[in-house]
């Protein structure tokens, strides 16, 4: 145990951040994601062209000094559309994942910690929802409430929480047999106090790792919905819709696929690097380093 850390009263999260800073790949991922987030916020001020501006005479042209990523078949600047696409893709990743994270963690913790009949009923509900085609669910929401980006974010989050609930439940089933839970019960803590003070903090590692996998999954799901005409509507764009459009003409105009695909790939790698680093940093077994 690091006696200096104890004497200075360093908290668990400060200790975890100190370990995170030693992981070069995790720091790289954090820097890249932070840069992309800043660029997404500043896009209206740094984009060289309006995202809907067309130049049919120009058509699909390769990268040049005027158009760094080239232009699409309608003559729209691809660099600008990738920048604006980052706003939607990162937003759907964060918002939908937050919805999935909140529902999944609360559902899984409640099911695993209470156990018994409550656990059986809650997990059978999860199994039933797994059997429902998510596309039909989103189509129904779209028909009833109309098309909007917020509804798209919420709908995706509402179908992505199921796996999170199972993962958290499995962790809780293991944790509730630990001695610290028995000690918390012995000193008179309520069930919800134990859940929020002890159970959830000890499941942070798996939760964070799966969250970093959920964000790219959500981004890809949005691209699939956009391909079906249920996601982002033209002239707006996301990385997924740009990639879908690039696939259709990748033999003639490869840059339409390369640049959005490369941007998405860098983001996914950064998320994975950061997720692995956070998993190691937040692992309680590593606190003695």
């Amino acid at each position: 145990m690091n006696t200096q850390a104890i004497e200075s009263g360093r908290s668990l999260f400060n200790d975890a951040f100190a370990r995170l800073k030693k992981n070069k790949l995790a720091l790289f991922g954090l820097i890249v994601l932070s840069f992309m987030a800043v660029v997404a916020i500043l896009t209206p001020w740094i984009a060289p062209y309006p995202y809907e501006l067309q130049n049919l005479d120009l058509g699909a042209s390769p990268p040049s000094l005027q158009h760094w990523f080239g232009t699409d078949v309608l003559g729209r600047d691809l660099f600008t559309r990738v920048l604006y696409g980052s706003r939607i893709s990162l937003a759907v990743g964060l918002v939908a994942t937050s919805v999935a994270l909140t529902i999944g963690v609360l559902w899984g913790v409640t099911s695993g910690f209470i156990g018994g009949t409550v656990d059986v009923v809650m997990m059978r509900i999860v199994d039933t929802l797994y059997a429902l085609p998510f596309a039909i669910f989103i189509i129904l929401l779209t028909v009833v409430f109309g098309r909007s980006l917020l509804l798209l974010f919420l709908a995706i989050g509402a179908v992505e929480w199921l796996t999170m609930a199972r993962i958290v439940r499995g962790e809780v089933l293991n944790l509730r047999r630990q001695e610290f839970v028995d000690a918390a019960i012995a000193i008179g803590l309520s069930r919800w106090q134990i859940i929020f003070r002890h159970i959830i903090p000890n499941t942070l590692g798996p939760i964070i790792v799966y969250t970093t996998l959920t964000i790219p999954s959500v981004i890809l799901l949005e691209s699939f919905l956009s391909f079906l005409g249920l996601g982002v509507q033209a002239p707006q764009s996301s990385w997924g819709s740009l990639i879908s459009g690039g696939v259709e003409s990748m033999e003639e105009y490869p840059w339409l696929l390369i640049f959005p695909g490369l941007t998405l790939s860098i983001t996914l790698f950064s998320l994975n690097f950061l997720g692995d680093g956070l998993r190691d940093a937040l692992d309680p077994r590593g606190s003695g380093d």
Side-chain angles (χ1 to χ4, degrees):
M1 181 70 69
N2 191 329
T3 56
Q4 183 178 0
I6 295 178
E7 292 172 359
S8 62
R10 190 166 67 179
S11 70
L12 171 64
F13 288 99
N14 287 335
D15 192 42
F17 183 68
R19 290 196 298 276
L20 179 65
K21 290 191 294 184
K22 299 177 182 178
N23 190 320
K24 303 303 181 183
L25 284 177
L27 283 181
F28 170 78
L30 179 60
I31 291 171
V32 170
L33 292 172
S34 300
F35 173 76
M36 288 189 170
V38 172
V39 169
I41 294 172
L42 299 178
T43 289
W45 294 275
I46 64 178
Y49 302 94
Y51 70 91
E52 74 277 15
L53 180 64
Q54 301 180 12
N55 186 346
L56 298 179
D57 294 332
L58 184 63
S61 60
S64 64
L65 292 178
Q66 289 75 30
H67 303 282
W68 294 352
F69 289 1
T71 59
D72 63 14
V73 293
L74 296 178
R76 295 175 296 191
D77 182 65
L78 185 60
F79 177 68
T80 296
R81 293 183 64 75
V82 169
L83 289 181
Y84 275 95
S86 68
R87 295 166 66 88
I88 294 179
S89 292
L90 294 179
V92 71
L94 292 175
V95 175
T97 300
S98 298
V99 173
L101 184 66
T102 301
I103 300 174
V105 170
L106 292 178
W107 193 279
V109 167
T110 303
S111 175
F113 190 76
I114 295 178
T117 304
V118 172
D119 181 36
V120 172
V121 172
M122 293 182 73
M123 296 316 296
R124 293 300 75 76
I125 293 175
V126 170
D127 293 338
T128 302
L129 293 176
Y130 257 118
L132 298 177
F134 74 89
I136 293 179
F137 175 71
I138 295 177
I139 290 172
L140 289 175
L141 288 178
T142 303
V143 170
V144 174
F145 297 103
R147 289 182 179 180
S148 70
L149 283 179
L150 179 59
L151 176 62
L152 177 66
F153 297 167
L154 296 178
I156 293 176
V159 299
E160 286 288 334
W161 65 271
L162 302 174
T163 303
M164 176 67 76
R166 283 185 167 180
I167 291 175
V168 173
R169 172 183 175 271
E171 289 293 318
V172 172
L173 288 176
N174 179 56
L175 288 172
R176 73 176 186 178
R177 303 187 184 96
Q178 302 298 317
E179 293 180 354
F180 70 87
V181 175
D182 294 333
I185 295 174
I187 63 176
L189 291 183
S190 69
R191 179 177 292 168
W192 291 108
Q193 285 177 318
I194 295 173
I195 287 176
F196 285 102
R197 291 185 185 179
H198 300 287
I199 298 297
I200 292 180
N202 279 281
T203 60
L204 280 179
I207 288 174
I208 289 174
V209 171
Y210 187 71
T211 298
T212 59
L213 297 176
T214 301
I215 293 176
S217 174
V218 163
I219 293 174
L220 292 175
L221 177 56
E222 179 275 325
S223 69
F224 172 70
L225 293 174
S226 296
F227 180 77
L228 295 179
L230 300 174
V232 178
Q233 301 299 307
Q236 292 181 317
S237 64
S238 66
W239 290 338
S241 62
L242 291 175
I243 291 173
S244 297
V247 169
E248 298 175 359
S249 55
M250 64 180 181
E251 294 184 0
E252 293 181 281
Y253 316 117
W255 60 88
L256 296 181
L257 175 62
I258 291 174
F259 290 110
L262 186 61
T263 305
L264 178 59
S265 298
I266 292 173
T267 303
L268 302 190
F269 277 118
S270 299
L271 284 166
N272 287 330
F273 292 153
L274 180 59
D276 289 342
L278 288 173
R279 177 198 60 196
D280 296 337
L282 291 170
D283 187 352
R285 291 170 294 183
S287 60
D289 293 345

